[in-house]
Amino acid sequence: MNELDNNMRLTSQRQVIIEELKKVKSHPTANEVYDMVRKRLPRIGLGTVYRNLDLLSEKGIINKLEVGGEQKRFDGDTSEHYHIRCVKCNRVEDIFIERYKELEKDAASCCDYTILNHHVQFSGICSKCLPDA
Amino acid sequence: MNELDNNMRLTSQRQVIIEELKKVKSHPTANEVYDMVRKRLPRIGLGTVYRNLDLLSEKGIINKLEVGGEQKRFDGDTSEHYHIRCVKCNRVEDIFIERYKELEKDAASCCDYTILNHHVQFSGICSKCLPDA
DNA sequence: CTCAGTGCAAACGATTTGCAGGGCC
DNA sequence: GGCCCTGCAAATCGTTTGCACTGAG
């Protein structure tokens, strides 16, 4: 739907953000990406990080997670998959199970929306937090 | 888990917030609740609304929705059900389909979390927005 | 009377934006 | 040389909090 903008430049900031994001599995917040990137580009601004994270997720190069909590999180893995969040430490991890496509069919039959997508968000307690739960 | 606090008083502010929230099906944001309530209690403060929405959702009297988007939303219907959000107008509506309990079983088998809950969030375009899509 | 709850305003944290300069094409 | 993009700082938006006062129990 969004025609690719050929005028988009591949700046070093952009490149490093993508590289760092693809490198980890931790679903970092914008601030965490900022910290990661700053190690390689000490003069980068937080605003630039936000601008690029938004831009790259619009282009589908990365994913912006609409997972609950205070901050948005970003995922270098753009394959469709579910997520789980630890209610204690707020860690977010991937859940690679088969997508339930029936969900969208069921939902379509009970509302008058054109359904575009669905996401499943699990909450639980991770193994590191379980002892002190 | 949270022993009911017998010291909790039933103030008029609290009563009106609950009443207004149970009255609608629109999943209002804190600010929208504020507007609704202010018609009956013009001197109420926004802080009071936030404090009570948090308190009431901790008590399980209302529900705080961790639905994506910028603002949190509140639901007077505390029964477990899924939601859909219109990507155009941001309206949030209920999806009353059977919960997929298998989802949690599947997820449990592929990660070492103690799973507490799951929520399914659909996105789509509502019938009102479809014409201009 | 007492203390949980309130109104108000200031504080806060995440994100966005305006602007002037910088550097890719 | 044009214009996209950046760094920086100020602005904005949602939400939280400190404080002195109020009113429910």
Side-chain angles (χ1 to χ4, degrees), chain A residues 16 34-46:
Chain A
V16 171
Y34 178 49
D35 285 339
M36 290 155 58
V37 169
R38 211 160 24 153
K39 289 181 185 138
R40 294 171 58 186
L41 300 173
R43 298 195 51 72
I44 196 173
L46 182 54

Side-chain angles (χ1 to χ4, degrees), chain B residues 28-51:
Chain B
T29 63
N31 233 300
E32 289 167 346
V33 173
Y34 177 49
D35 285 339
M36 289 155 58
V37 168
R38 210 158 26 151
K39 288 181 187 138
R40 294 172 56 187
L41 300 173
R43 298 194 53 73
I44 197 173
L46 183 53
T48 300
V49 172
Y50 272 103
R51 269 186 291 239

Side-chain angles (χ1 to χ4, degrees), chain B residues 9-11 30 46-47 50-51 54 70-72:
Chain B
R9 294 182 184 166
L10 186 53
T11 61
L46 183 53
Y50 272 103
R51 269 186 291 239
D54 275 346
E70 307 71 33
Q71 291 142 274
K72 298 211 172 98

Side-chain angles (χ1 to χ4, degrees), chain A residues 17 19 31 58 74 82 84 97:
Chain A
I17 288 173
E19 282 173 21
N31 234 301
E58 265 171 36
F74 297 86
Y82 300 148
I84 188 164
I97 61 178

